[in-house]
Amino acid sequence: MVTTTRRLRRLALLLCIVAPRLLIAQDRGATALGEAVAGLDVTTRVLQIGAHPDDEDTQLLTWLARGRQVETAYLSLTRGDGGQNLIGNELGPLLGMIRTEELLAARRLDGGRQFFTRAYDFGFSKSAEETYTHWPKDSILLDMVTVVRAFRPHVIVAVFSGTPRDGHGHHQVSGMLAREVFDAAADTVRFPRRATLGLGAWSPPKFYRAARFNPAQATLSFNVGELSTLRGRTYAEIAGESRSQHLSQGFGVVQRRGTSMDYLTLEASRLGAIGPEQSPLDGLETGWSRFASVTLTAAGRTALDSLAGAIADVRRVENVIAPAPMIAPLARVVRLLAEMRQAQSCGSAAGVALCGGIGGDLAVSLETVRRRAAGALLAASGVLVEATAPRELVAVGDTVPVTISVYNQGMASVTLLGVSAGMQYGMGAIHRGGPMDVARDSAVRTTLGVLAEAASVPWWLSEGKRGDVFVLPPTPLPMAIGEDRLADSYARVSLRVAGEPVTVDAGPIVYRFADPARGEQRRPLAAVPPLSVTLEGEVQYARAGLALDRLYDVHVTSAATAPRGVSVALTLPAGLRADSVIRRVAVDSFGSATLTFRVRGTLPVGRHTLSVMATSGGQEFAIGYLPIDYQHIRPLRYYRQAAALIESVEAALPRNPRIAYVRGVGDNVAPMLTQLGIQVKMLDAEELGRTDLSGFGAVVVGPRAFAANHELVRQASRLQEFARAGGTVVVQYGQAEIQAPGILPYPVTLARTAQRVTDELAPVRVIAPADPLLRTPNRIGARDFDRWIQERALYMPASFDPHYRAPLEMHDPGEPENRAAVLVAPVGKGAYVYTTLALFRQLPAGIPGAARIFLNLLAADGRAAGSTAVQP
């Protein structure tokens, strides 16, 4: 990834900072109008802090944001890159992209905002101390201080306790740092303004910890099962739908109805004694009255003093079904808020107020309520603004026509004053032409060209990682702005509605089209290289010293508006040759081509690089993107270099190299086995039941496959029949489901918190060096555990039946021994292997020893050398 991002720097990436990235930019209708009006005098903010996507309390977020119109946000230290993936093969940074989008999809439902630090999820950690060896504490705390100073919450809620009872080390650290940032955000000696983008100090008044799982210690409880009359659902139901966006983690839940209690514990307060609380907002001035002491111009003071009456006028005529009477008072609220903004001397950067204290509080509150008031005025007036493009992708260096449409579907007078649209580099100035009146029940459109100057790449991936922390881009504002207000494109429209000027953030620019099966689809406009060049497989295996004869498909995809002649060249490591080093192809506009090179030769042991360079029109292209497309999130593109790292391994194959493979969760193992010379036949669970398995040497079941596929559970006896007939079954790790009777031939048990070896450098002790599993067809030794990544083993049984033999022992420092990383049992004429080794991570990373170990598992039989059937 680091190599890839160095090439990406040449694209000079800068992301624009814009309004919320919704595919339909405006919330419309009675619900949007009612909630916006309810929030006109709510100026409080709550920040929830956790470690990962899916840690957040969506019930609390929904109850506050949708039910109380409190500006509520979730700060996740990581993007969940080190987790597992129940919906696809993507792991690492690709999974981080998916889980980021799942959080944003959740926030669009529960109404919250979303922030991140630059911490990379390096995988499961057992302690805060271990976590801090990966994350420099001051760096992550600095990020949190920046977010707190930008968002200026009045209440911070830590999801976790910050103690060992949280389990995961990331959880512990998030709980510890949440409490520390409560004080640190006000410390301009430790964290000077210049270190936090010029943002001023902030002291949140209250600090809570979530008490969902220990309500006996709670100081505050409240019913999130209340009904939202505007939405016709309880906040718990909405929260359930929000929670269910985390599909990659299997967190789909039933939407709860009826009473549903949530709990908090007040741990620190700067407000003094409050008494029994009914809400986390108790003791806070939640409206505009707390700004009475702010220094404003005379006009600003008059506007502030008039605001409460103006809001009351809106509510006096409030009718979300027939809202025409609300237009004039809403227009007055918009005007008063604009006058207050103009009267305040608080600098800003891309919409983030820089001043501290009560002045910064007012600036952030004005921006929040301005958005609500403008949205309410548009909703009451029946005004819709959208920005569309004729295609989804635009090549860097090209211009795409963008159409800004303004629809007047209500009773107000509407005039289009100016528009602005673009890709990167911030918010362009509004281009003002002659005013265009938008008559009732009509629309006006204007088109402008938008130049793509850089590829649309997630900002946190633009500079790579340093250790387990993402490197901030030259412009680190995205972290302070919030992920929900970042987009690859922007559109801004200046209107006059009911006589008042209103600026509408209409982005992102979208491509609208009809899918015959799903109806209208909206996909955000993205900038891509003119030519995308990809080579399948970032990491590959080869067997050292043996003839390699492999076909390499190079995919060239054009985003250019005209045909291009393209030359594609391979750069090969010593020992390999191609049937043609350079190929030429004509690629149509918006077309693609695949060129196949035959590469032959031999490679010595070690890591080698095969790279591709495409040349067209005097330009060189060596980067491409992999699309990531799931229905519940917006389309993503992961950029990587057009190169393959080939790990040449000294490895022998089992006697019968034909295997059947049932894919598991986040499972990329099968292609790696194919590269080693194993003949892999992919089967799903139903095919397993009707396929003649007699010709296979082994059947492999991928990680967590039994949990993900109930049909496979019904086929467990079929696997054991295969073993009894003389075959080898290899089952990769599972979780609690693996204990169910009949899944494995002999029982295993897991502790309530299953043991893991999270230290990828933990020593591995060979208990039975003469065991055939460690000798055939490859002799396994200490070097085969070198260079492992993230972890050695996970969800290891605490005990197992004596029929299993266990040739290896491993454990994290300071923890009990565990011999359950590899268990082998004789079953009839064959063998059954259950392994909790993290091979699903090691093989796709090209770890040589992991390849040799897996090949030995495929060759396992029921014979033991001596007595190695040991109890843990």
Side-chain angles (χ1 to χ4, degrees), residues 383-437:
V383 175
L384 171 67
V385 182
E386 65 178 5
T388 57
R391 59 183 187 273
E392 180 182 358
L393 303 177
V394 55
V396 173
D398 282 355
T399 298
V400 62
V402 171
T403 299
I404 308 291
S405 302
V406 181
Y407 300 87
N408 183 357
Q409 299 166 313
M411 305 296 292
S413 61
V414 180
T415 302
L416 174 62
L417 302 176
V419 298
S420 176
M423 297 299 292
Q424 282 81 24
Y425 304 102
M427 302 284 281
I430 296 285
H431 303 293
R432 299 187 182 274
M436 300 172 62
D437 289 333

Side-chain angles (χ1 to χ4, degrees), residues 207-421:
F207 179 85
Y208 291 87
R209 290 197 190 274
R212 288 177 292 168
F213 303 116
N214 53 339
Q217 298 181 16
T219 61
L220 170 64
S221 62
F222 43 92
N223 178 22
V224 296
E226 295 173 353
L227 179 69
S228 166
T229 55
L230 285 170
R231 293 182 175 266
R233 304 168 70 194
T234 69
Y235 301 114
E237 287 180 279
I238 299 167
E241 186 180 1
S242 169
R243 182 74 169 166
S244 296
Q245 301 309 299
H246 297 292
L247 296 183
S248 68
Q249 305 306 296
F251 279 168
V253 298
V254 172
Q255 297 176 25
R256 298 178 63 182
R257 297 184 177 91
T259 299
S260 181
M261 301 303 294
D262 208 346
Y263 303 89
L264 296 175
T265 300
L266 180 64
E267 188 170 295
S269 174
R270 297 186 169 98
L271 300 178
I274 300 174
E277 292 186 301
Q278 304 299 314
S279 162
L281 306 178
D282 285 359
L284 296 168
E285 288 287 345
T286 61
W288 294 103
S289 59
R290 74 169 181 274
F291 302 115
S293 63
V294 176
T295 300
L296 295 170
T297 65
R301 174 59 56 191
T302 299
L304 176 58
D305 292 343
S306 304
L307 190 56
I311 294 172
D313 289 342
V314 173
R315 291 179 178 155
R316 194 171 295 114
V317 296
E318 182 174 358
N319 184 338
V320 297
I321 303 301
M326 301 172 66
I327 295 173
L330 278 169
R332 183 178 176 224
V333 171
V334 169
R335 182 177 72 252
L336 293 174
L337 292 168
E339 291 172 356
M340 290 171 64
R341 291 182 76 196
Q342 293 170 3
Q344 195 190 23
S345 57
C346 184
S348 66
V352 177
L354 299 179
C355 55
I358 191 69
D361 185 3
L362 175 59
V364 175
S365 298
L366 283 171
E367 176 59 23
T368 299
V369 179
R370 181 199 69 80
R371 289 175 182 271
R372 293 173 181 168
L377 179 57
L378 294 176
S381 304
V383 175
L384 171 67
V385 182
E386 65 178 5
T388 57
R391 59 183 187 273
E392 180 182 358
L393 303 177
V394 55
V396 173
D398 282 355
T399 298
V400 62
V402 171
T403 299
I404 308 291
S405 302
V406 181
Y407 300 87
N408 183 357
Q409 299 166 313
M411 305 296 292
S413 61
V414 180
T415 302
L416 174 62
L417 302 176
V419 298
S420 176

Side-chain angles (χ1 to χ4, degrees), residues 639-665:
Y639 282 84
R640 70 182 191 192
Q641 199 170 18
L645 298 176
I646 305 174
E647 187 70 45
S648 184
V649 184
E650 192 173 44
L653 302 184
R655 181 177 294 109
N656 183 351
R658 295 187 65 231
I659 72 167
Y661 196 108
V662 180
R663 189 184 299 278
V665 170

Side-chain angles (χ1 to χ4, degrees), residues 671-692:
M672 309 306 291
L673 295 176
T674 299
Q675 293 160 13
L676 289 165
I678 298 297
Q679 300 166 36
V680 180
K681 172 70 173 178
M682 299 301 297
L683 298 177
D684 61 30
E686 292 183 353
E687 290 173 325
L688 181 66
R690 60 175 182 264
T691 299
D692 180 4

